[in-house]
């Protein structure tokens, strides 16, 4: 078991941050433009004064010919790749890059909102906690499922 913040077994930095005493603290939150308020709200609820500052922007990539060919090859692989989706924006960008009709490739989503966006795009989605161990276990289950011969129980 990994020991994190103050010896607690907590794998996520945001969870560690929330375990500390924040009443009266000043927090500068560096994030992407348009980032959600979830973490800032948790700190505020704990009594901190939070200033959020956008330090990068998110935008849809513009793949070149090589990138498009590589993406097409990946999407046609057998067994199909397992996609890890960690933002709803990623789903929209993926649709923009490959076209509105995404191939129904299996995906993991790290939040119910992301899963809902992916399902609306036609992807078969498994929700998974946004933690390394949970993602790794979901990937292992996916690989094990692919190794079961067709027609087997």
């Amino acid at each position: 078991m990994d020991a994190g913040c103050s010896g607690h077994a907590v794998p996520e930095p945001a969870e560690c941050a929330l375990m500390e005493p924040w009443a009266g603290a000043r927090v500068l939150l560096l994030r992407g433009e348009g980032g959600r308020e979830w973490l800032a709200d948790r700190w505020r609820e704990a009594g901190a004064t939070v200033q959020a500052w956008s330090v990068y922007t998110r935008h849809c990539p513009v793949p070149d010919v090589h990138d498009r060919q590589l993406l097409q090859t990946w999407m046609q692989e057998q067994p199909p790749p397992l996609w890890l989706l960690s933002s709803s924006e990623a789903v929209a960008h993926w649709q923009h890059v490959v076209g509105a009709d995404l191939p129904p490739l299996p995906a993991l989503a790290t939040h119910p909102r992301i899963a809902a966006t992916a399902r609306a795009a036609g992807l078969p989605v498994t929700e998974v906690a946004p933690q390394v161990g949970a993602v790794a276990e979901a990937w292992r289950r996916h690989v094990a499922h692919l190794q079961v011969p067709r027609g087997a129980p």
Side-chain angles (χ1 to χ4, degrees):
M1 181 180 297
D2 295 329
C5 47
S6 305
H8 297 285
V10 180
E12 296 301 312
E15 292 174 8
C16 290
L18 295 175
M19 293 178 73
E20 302 300 325
W22 291 102
R26 292 177 42 211
V27 176
L28 175 61
L29 176 59
L30 305 177
R31 65 180 181 194
E33 185 177 313
R36 294 185 309 125
E37 289 292 317
W38 184 88
L39 183 56
D41 288 345
R42 299 299 77 78
W43 272 320
R44 287 181 189 110
E45 289 169 1
T49 300
V50 179
Q51 175 65 49
W53 186 32
S54 296
V55 296
Y56 65 93
T57 61
R58 297 177 178 122
H59 64 276
C60 186
V62 179
D64 60 20
V65 171
H66 177 264
D67 291 339
R68 284 188 181 280
Q69 289 172 341
L70 185 60
L71 186 57
Q72 287 299 322
T73 299
W74 283 343
M75 291 189 310
Q76 295 169 4
E77 288 281 319
Q78 290 301 319
L82 178 64
W83 298 90
L84 174 60
L85 305 172
S86 60
S87 82
S88 296
E89 203 170 23
V91 177
H93 289 177
W94 188 16
Q95 278 185 294
H96 180 76
V97 169
V98 303
D101 295 324
L102 289 176
L105 299 173
L108 301 176
T110 59
H111 190 276
R113 177 180 29 81
I114 300 165
T117 301
R119 285 186 187 106
L123 299 174
V125 179
T126 301
E127 289 182 43
V128 61
Q131 299 168 343
V132 173
V135 171
E137 181 57 31
W139 179 80
R140 281 191 286 274
R141 285 192 309 267
H142 174 74
V143 170
H145 174 73
L146 294 175
Q147 295 173 347
V148 174
R150 293 189 188 267

